[in-house]
Amino acid sequence: MSSQKVEFVETPGSIVRKCPGTKHHICCGYQTIDLVEGCVLSCSYCILKAYLRDDTIRISHRPESIIEELNGMIDGSPRHVLRFGTGELSDSLAIDRRHNVNRFLVEYFGAKRKAILELKSKWADFRHLLPHLNPYTVISFSVSPQRFIDAEETRTSPVHKRLKAARLAQDHGCFVGLHFDPIVIYDGFERDYRYLIGDIGRILDPSRILWISLGTLRFPPALYGLLLMRKRRYLLSGEFIRGEDGKYRYIKTERIRIYRMLYRLLKDIDSSLFIYLCMERAGVWKEALDIDMKDTEGLTGLFDERIKNVYGGTL
Amino acid sequence: MTDVPLSRIDLKDRRFCLSYPPGDENLLWSIASVGIVQPIVLLDRAPYIAVAGWRRLRCARELRLRKVPALIVDIDEKTALMRAIHDNLARGFNIVEKAAVVDAMDRSGFSRDEIFELMKHLGLNPHEKVLSILLGIASLDAPSRDFIFRKNLSLRNAESLLRFEEKERRRILTALTGLHLTESTLREILDMLQLVRIRKGALAGRDIPVMESSDMLRSRLKQKTHPILSSFAKKLKAIRSAMALPPGVDIRVDPFFEKEYIDIILKIVNEDDVDAALGRISELVAEGHVRRILELTKGRIR
């Protein structure tokens, strides 16, 4: 798949941490396990291009201390059900079959039964994990129209394979997550997203979709120059402004329009779907979804409620 | 050192010519006054090839001198090129000359390591990407190189300019040559032109308007790259104009209409000023002006 160098490293310090979020925007209170740094999928818009020093994949190789860290965080947080993910600095599944990096985590969360592990990916093969899966591991896929994937996510699995993989996870008793992130404006994107959501409605069981996130394209200034240099037409079609956090994002009125459209289409599949906005302003929550979301604590509370409803208080 | 007739020097063989721009008024005056003080270095070939002293040679020709003082050297071409580079190193090279230096080294078969080593002494980051930009500059036509020199372009902006097709670049130079441009304004303009080009596939003449000032050009391009933002700015301007804010009262709105709130600024000297300002603000609220601004900041209209 890729000739990128893979290194097993003893990362000093903590690799389990709160998602840094972004200034003036509401974060979902996610926790990240930075087990792998770097990604073989090499999507053209990936912010890792701007942040990481080279394209070496570094896998942190000290499961005992990671579990010790997780125990400390989970046991020290009785108020919230913590949600952890390994997909912040990498793709959770892309190199998992070859390097088996997630299995100890899947087994740990299955035994712990107090928190959720989310494996977030654009790579549709996780069959090697099937015998170990449990309800405390959520298999999640980023979803985008195939036209966009063909142009900007060329090394990833096609969207229909991602959706079939999500269905496979559901059929094995797992909950799944869907991440419309990045949502990208290009000629005809509205129609493409309508078809995509239609496919989701046909392929997946909505009652086993734990959450769906919506996040429009955003990136740091360093990446903007790269996108211009590489002439990424799909990524540069929309109208960008610099947000209060310094990142480029679509102008607010466009973000609101897109969120409204996708929210309505998804709710048409099943009105009980849990849909949230990733890194958005309180004003956008209000205008797009008519939800008074004040801050990160508020959104974290909504997640707690969702998990409680779905898991029936077993968590 | 010996005096060599100009006719015995091949002035068309410019393989060691690194100087840009070629002319120098002060040098011309100096040579006219006291003659050529420092000899020209010539490669011992028939005819001679100039290694160092191209500007002096140009002045000599302009002044119709028949002979020039010269040092004849019999060395290989790579050594000659290094001699030409080191002859000028102390005075410092501009960006176009730096590009000529690395281009000449590249053509003469110097290794990447040797080129990178010299780049360090030219104050350049010894990196393949930087080298590629410099080679790109060296390959440009004379007007483009002249623009880069005269506007003292950074490598970053020179790289942006290189991304355009030759025809587009010529139009861009026509639009930009007469304008006063700061580094950041030029960067913004080139980025906007690049964005239009990416979206449309190519730049047409009307995409690169010739304007009186860089601000006007920037504003025109912004309308193309940011039509919604431009339309919001226009609407805000119209609201402001209708509001007729009194002196001492100002309303500040996030230029990107990202922040939902607006700042109302009062400048007061005494309590009466406060009463007057608050009274006027109440009127503005009643007249619906504030609501109209908030509709823009909340993203309710397009």
Side-chain angles (χ1 to χ4, degrees), chain B residues 176-195:
Chain B
L176 297 183
T177 298
L179 302 180
H180 171 71
L181 295 161
T182 62
E183 180 70 19
S184 58
T185 305
L186 181 59
R187 176 192 288 201
E188 199 182 345
I189 288 172
L190 291 175
D191 279 356
M192 285 195 282
L193 286 168
Q194 177 71 356
L195 189 56

Side-chain angles (χ1 to χ4, degrees), chain A residues 238-240 252 254-255, chain B residues 199 226 228-229 258 297 302:
Chain A
E239 187 170 333
F240 292 99
K252 193 162 65 182
E254 285 287 82
R255 304 204 305 272
Chain B
R199 287 177 185 168
H226 292 76
I228 300 172
L229 189 64
E258 187 70 359
T297 62
R302 296 191 66 219

Side-chain angles (χ1 to χ4, degrees), chain B residues 210-243:
Chain B
V210 177
M211 309 294 287
E212 280 174 30
S213 72
S214 56
D215 280 346
M216 287 165 77
L217 176 59
R218 198 167 47 173
S219 167
R220 177 69 72 85
L221 290 174
K222 200 112 196 166
Q223 285 170 21
K224 286 179 189 287
T225 58
H226 292 76
I228 300 172
L229 189 64
S230 300
S231 131
F232 277 24
K234 200 172 163 188
K235 285 181 177 125
L236 179 64
K237 197 175 170 186
I239 297 169
R240 277 183 185 285
S241 163
M243 284 168 105

